[in-house]
Amino acid sequence: MATPLLLQAEHVAKAYAGIPALRDGRLSLRAGSVHALCGGNGAGKSTFLGILMGITQRDAGSILLNGQPVQFDRPSAALAAGVAMITQELEPIPYMTVAENIWLGREPRRAGCIVDSKELIRRTRELLASLEFEVDANSPMHRLSVAQIQLVEIAKAFSHDCQVMIMDEPTSAIGEREAETLFKAIRRLTARGAGIIYVSHRLSELAQIADDYSIFRDGAFVESGRMVDIDRAHLVRGIVGQELTRIDHKVGRQCAAQNCLDIQGLSRHGEFQDISLQLRQGEILGIYGLMGSGRSEFLNCIYGLTEPHAGSVTLQGQPLPVGVPAATIRAGMSLVTEDRKDSGLVLTSSILSNIALSAYRQLSSWSLISARKELQLARDMVQRLQIKTSSLDLPVESMSGGNQQKVVLAKCLSTTPICLLCDEPTRGIDEGAKQEIYHLLDEFVRAGGAAIVVSSEAPELLHLSDRIAVFKGGRLVTISTDTALSQEALLSLAS
């Protein structure tokens, strides 16, 4: 007997000002299955998911839930019908607790009006324990890392008794250990008959968790089938529309003998302890570690966003200023932050102003910014990084994730740094955009720069890095130069 369909969408379309964002969206979700929705940035996936969830209204097409036509006019209507969503963009309420964020609007109450705080905490702890998420229910959201915020968003979705769960890049901010925990929770959900629509640019995850797949490209459905019937190469061809050649960027790369960056005994209480390492000119040093290993905190401290309690950092033999990012930039360092939308970009500002944001000192004289220099810098960066845009005056929020990430890189490179710090530089972008960013980083170090790359994806670091530093519990475990190091060995070192 065929597995019944929970949700079926046919020929769904949406246009903005006559420009189609989605031309032909199709998907059939079976009960008790995980359905991978695949496609590059700009393929129409987010628009399609927004329509399913009632965030956006469709112009054409049909959606059936349990065989009945539906058109949700708001997300609350979708939730009431049993459809929940984990969005790609994290939007916590910073000064409320984890428990308050998860149950917002659904808090347990006494006498129908007073929030029952004890019951709220009890429910939250029970939910987090069932998901095996190590997050404090009482912690304010602004004190959590991006990875922990992602776990809270996942827990919030699981708190709804849903039959259809939409997961848009749920692992983009978490490591492999936390992803495995999420997969266990997904399997428990599907075992009860629920269906999952799963979006991820980590293609290795899809083979691991998905039963079925659908591919969108240029706003339209391309194909669907069973995941066991295809391989990674087939999936990539469907997503990008052609064969994608993977280049081994490390071949022929020569690292200089002299150090570009020298870090000695760097410590910050409660985050990382006694980290000593050197970065050579012409080198990409990868940093790998599980959630809570102190990787991002380490980069932030080097850059000056926080102050160390011990240790020293020198760049090309000169001590770096402590706790002053503007002075760090002038010294020749730049940081690609972990969350491009929260701390990497000014979303409502133009592409031009975002690219020039860190370089206004170089673009001005007598405190007056040269519009000509600003425009030339932006044009040069758009050409160099192959940023796809019809106008430099467009708001950066209108761009795809891959192009937004390129704008972040352009902003960092506009200051002509000699050392680039990258925290999850390919988070939430498609395979084609990832390869372009790998090429940009390789080009940067071959031209004499040096880079530290933090990533939750072991294959990415193994592919890109000359050496890999492994962090565990806030300490440096080892720095490996073994080119034959496996993903399993890396995870074992970090565990």
Side-chain angles (χ1 to χ4, degrees):
M1 185 180 295
T3 307
L5 291 179
L6 279 179
L7 184 141
Q8 188 171 18
E10 293 286 343
H11 309 300
V12 177
K14 178 67 180 178
Y16 295 95
I19 301 171
L22 182 66
R23 295 181 289 115
D24 180 16
R26 301 183 224 168
L27 188 140
S28 297
L29 176 65
R30 297 183 294 119
S33 73
V34 177
H35 194 115
L37 178 57
C38 310
N41 293 110
K45 305 187 304 297
S46 294
T47 302
F48 180 72
L49 297 180
I51 289 170
L52 294 185
M53 195 62 202
I55 298 169
T56 304
Q57 299 305 301
R58 66 184 183 268
D59 296 332
S62 64
I63 299 173
L64 303 179
L65 182 64
N66 289 317
Q68 299 299 313
V70 293
Q71 179 155 354
F72 304 125
D73 58 358
R74 58 194 183 279
S76 59
L79 284 169
V83 181
M85 181 175 181
I86 301 166
T87 59
Q88 181 178 355
E89 308 307 333
L90 305 177
E91 296 180 349
I93 301 173
Y95 291 94
M96 294 180 75
T97 66
V98 168
E100 290 165 340
N101 268 264
I102 290 176
W103 302 101
L104 186 64
R106 301 176 292 135
E107 302 90 343
R109 296 179 182 273
R110 295 195 304 268
C113 59
I114 301 171
V115 174
D116 188 338
S117 299
K118 287 185 178 179
E119 178 63 14
L120 180 68
I121 294 298
R122 187 197 66 77
R123 286 188 188 180
T124 306
R125 286 174 175 165
E126 187 178 87
L127 174 65
L128 293 171
S130 71
L131 295 170
E132 300 178 15
F133 291 170
E134 296 179 5
V135 182
D136 182 0
N138 285 304
S139 178
M141 294 296 289
H142 71 274
R143 293 184 181 172
L144 301 183
S145 67
V146 173
Q148 289 173 315
I149 293 170
Q150 181 76 75
L151 294 181
V152 174
E153 291 294 313
I154 291 168
K156 184 194 296 185
F158 272 86
S159 71
H160 295 277
D161 186 20
C162 62
Q163 57 177 328
V164 175
M165 174 85 75
I166 300 169
M167 296 186 171
D168 191 1
E169 297 286 353
T171 63
S172 63
I174 61 178
E176 293 169 10
R177 174 68 60 82
E178 295 76 38
E180 278 296 333
T181 301
L182 172 61
F183 294 163
K184 289 178 186 176
I186 288 173
R187 293 183 186 104
R188 289 197 296 270
L189 198 62
T190 54
R192 300 203 302 262
I196 311 284
I197 299 175
Y198 193 93
V199 176
S200 177
H201 290 307
R202 297 181 178 181
L203 301 186
S204 57
E205 285 184 358
L206 303 184
Q208 186 177 353
I209 193 66
D211 303 293
D212 306 315
Y213 74 95
S214 292
I215 298 175
F216 285 13
R217 188 171 65 242
D218 297 328
F221 171 84
V222 175
E223 66 172 78
S224 64
R226 300 298 298 272
M227 190 62 74
V228 293
D229 296 331
I230 62 168
D231 57 15
R232 180 191 175 97
H234 181 101
L235 205 55
V236 170
R237 279 197 303 274
I239 291 169
V240 302
Q242 61 184 9
E243 199 78 41
L244 189 64
T245 304
R246 287 178 63 89
I247 301 169
D248 189 348
H249 292 291
K250 290 185 289 187
V251 172
R253 188 192 294 161
Q254 296 293 324
C255 301
Q258 66 268 32
N259 291 331
C260 176
L261 187 69
D262 193 348
I263 300 165
Q264 294 295 329
L266 202 67
S267 298
R268 183 171 163 81
H269 301 330
E271 295 183 352
F272 54 87
Q273 291 295 317
D274 195 26
I275 306 293
S276 297
L277 56 80
Q278 290 75 44
L279 175 67
R280 294 171 294 176
Q281 190 176 333
E283 177 184 36
I284 294 179
L285 173 68
I287 297 182
Y288 182 76
L290 305 180
M291 192 175 74
S293 63
R295 307 167 309 166
S296 297
E297 294 82 356
F298 176 66
L299 285 199
N300 290 342
C301 189
I302 296 172
Y303 187 64
L305 294 175
T306 59
E307 295 186 18
H309 296 122
S312 63
V313 182
T314 59
L315 181 66
Q316 290 195 327
Q318 298 299 314
L320 271 183
V322 175
V324 188
T328 305
I329 292 171
R330 290 196 296 273
M333 182 177 285
S334 198
L335 171 67
V336 177
T337 59
E338 183 178 15
D339 190 335
R340 61 177 173 267
K341 296 200 173 182
D342 180 57
S343 54
L345 296 167
V346 182
L347 293 174
T348 54
S349 291
S350 68
I351 297 164
L352 183 147
S353 61
N354 268 275
I355 290 174
L357 189 61
S358 297
Y360 281 130
R361 181 179 290 271
Q362 295 99 298
L363 300 174
S364 59
S365 58
W366 300 100
S367 301
L368 295 174
I369 297 169
S370 168
R372 180 184 59 79
K373 289 181 181 179
E374 183 185 28
L375 179 61
Q376 189 59 52
L377 171 68
R379 284 175 174 169
D380 289 346
M381 283 295 171
V382 164
Q383 183 177 10
R384 177 180 170 186
L385 275 69
Q386 298 180 14
I387 299 171
K388 297 179 179 65
T389 181
S390 57
S391 170
L392 291 172
D393 295 323
L394 289 173
V396 77
E397 64 184 351
S398 67
M399 309 177 81
S400 68
N403 280 298
Q404 284 182 351
Q405 193 66 15
K406 287 183 183 179
V407 172
V408 175
L409 276 165
K411 182 190 73 172
C412 292
L413 293 173
S414 68
T415 60
T416 320
I418 54 179
C419 181
L420 193 59
L421 307 179
C422 301
D423 196 355
E424 302 285 2
T426 64
R427 177 182 169 229
I429 63 175
D430 63 55
E431 190 70 20
K434 282 184 180 182
Q435 293 297 325
E436 290 179 343
I437 286 176
Y438 297 158
H439 175 73
L440 288 168
L441 290 173
D442 178 64
E443 188 181 64
F444 173 74
V445 297
R446 286 180 190 267
I452 295 180
V453 177
V454 165
S455 178
S456 299
E457 297 188 55
E460 178 168 271
L461 293 182
L462 292 167
H463 167 70
L464 187 64
S465 309
D466 298 286
R467 296 183 297 152
I468 299 176
V470 180
F471 280 31
K472 178 182 177 181
R475 292 188 177 273
L476 176 62
V477 176
T478 186
I479 299 180
S480 176
T481 56
D482 184 3
T483 56
L485 192 68
S486 68
Q487 184 175 346
E488 292 75 18
L490 208 53
L491 183 58
S492 177
L493 287 168
S495 301

